[in-house]
Amino acid sequence: MPRVLLASLALVLAACGSGGGSSSPASPPPPPPPAGTKADVQILMMGNSHTSANGLPNMVAALVRAAWPGRTVEAVEAPTWMFLQQRASDPASLALLRSTPWRFVVLQAQEYSSSGLFDYPIDGAVALVRESRAVGALPILFPEWPRAEIPETQRIYDLHLSIARVAPACVPPIPQAWDLARVRLPDIELHAPDGNHARAPGSLLAAMVITATMTGVSPGLFPAIEGVGVDAGVQARLRSVAAETVTVYAPRTGCPGDAVGP
């Protein structure tokens, strides 16, 4: 096989990632600017392409501002996409985590088996939850939505609850919200064409559930937000689904002892 073809094949394989909904496109975002220290509510989001796609951190920040009027909010996305097991030993990630008095740390990209036949370690996620607690932040695990036409919601959710049982962390019912939306709102496309990543409405639905977990405010009370690529009518329908979901599945199942409020 020609060397050029071999090199191209190696690049493709390196970009694919491994494990269920945690695979990422090949081009990670550029490093963000250094975290600020002036916002009332500082949010750190550590994940991969599922966190980056459609500007989900900015969606969360906008919704928290709406839920807590008068509060300034900043969301920072950690540089480089990686699984939590990798991030737990990444010096740059740990330095960022320890650099600021974060109010919330959102942890996405727990690796899991696409087939369900293998178990991946959770000790990296556990370590990051504990590091988040050590800096005074509330850790929030981010269970990803199920892939298109694959019934894996409970498996993904239970995996994240297993982490929270070892190191208490909030577990938003994001997969359940997606399942409900696909029943209630079949005309709204949540998945990107790859059946794995989200379109803007899917990211916004996840952001609504995450924000409800942070603030204790029902998504039904959120206003429409601008600049997210989702029109106000669709946002209203997504809010209804998110509100119903957090009523049935308590977002703070894994962190019931943590205070709620601005």
Side-chain angles (χ1 to χ4, degrees), residues 112-120 155:
Y112 70 95
S113 169
S114 298
S115 65
L117 299 177
F118 306 98
D119 291 324
Y120 286 89
R155 182 162 63 92

Side-chain angles (χ1 to χ4, degrees), residues 22 82-90 93-94 107-112 120-128 163:
S22 294
M82 60 184 73
F83 294 119
L84 296 180
Q85 191 69 17
Q86 300 167 310
R87 196 174 292 282
S89 59
D90 176 61
S93 295
L94 293 176
L107 301 169
Q108 179 264 320
Q110 168 59 42
E111 195 169 9
Y112 70 95
Y120 286 89
I122 64 171
D123 52 308
V126 167
L128 288 168
I163 297 167

Side-chain angles (χ1 to χ4, degrees), residues 15-25 47-50 81-84 108-114 142 144-145 147 152 159-160 196-197:
C16 288
S18 62
S22 294
S23 59
S24 305
N48 60 20
S49 55
H50 295 294
W81 297 339
M82 60 184 73
F83 294 119
L84 296 180
Q108 179 264 320
Q110 168 59 42
E111 195 169 9
Y112 70 95
S113 169
S114 298
F142 182 159
E144 296 154 18
W145 45 85
R147 290 166 291 161
E152 57 185 358
L159 171 60
H160 288 76
N196 181 11
H197 291 83

Side-chain angles (χ1 to χ4, degrees), residues 224-225 230-237 239:
I225 57 176
V230 182
D231 69 49
V234 171
Q235 288 191 44
R237 298 170 71 197
R239 286 198 299 273

Side-chain angles (χ1 to χ4, degrees), residues 40-144:
D40 299 324
V41 181
Q42 296 270 17
I43 302 168
L44 175 61
M45 303 192 71
M46 295 182 143
N48 60 20
S49 55
H50 295 294
T51 290
S52 284
N54 307 304
L56 190 150
N58 292 331
M59 293 176 176
V60 171
L63 289 168
V64 173
R65 289 187 201 104
W68 287 345
R71 295 284 179 143
T72 56
V73 182
E74 178 184 25
V76 173
E77 182 184 348
T80 310
W81 297 339
M82 60 184 73
F83 294 119
L84 296 180
Q85 191 69 17
Q86 300 167 310
R87 196 174 292 282
S89 59
D90 176 61
S93 295
L94 293 176
L96 178 60
L97 178 55
R98 296 163 181 162
S99 69
T100 296
W102 307 106
R103 177 70 179 274
F104 304 104
V105 175
V106 181
L107 301 169
Q108 179 264 320
Q110 168 59 42
E111 195 169 9
Y112 70 95
S113 169
S114 298
S115 65
L117 299 177
F118 306 98
D119 291 324
Y120 286 89
I122 64 171
D123 52 308
V126 167
L128 288 168
V129 167
R130 289 174 174 163
E131 285 278 356
S132 301
R133 294 273 184 193
V135 301
L138 177 62
I140 298 176
L141 297 170
F142 182 159
E144 296 154 18

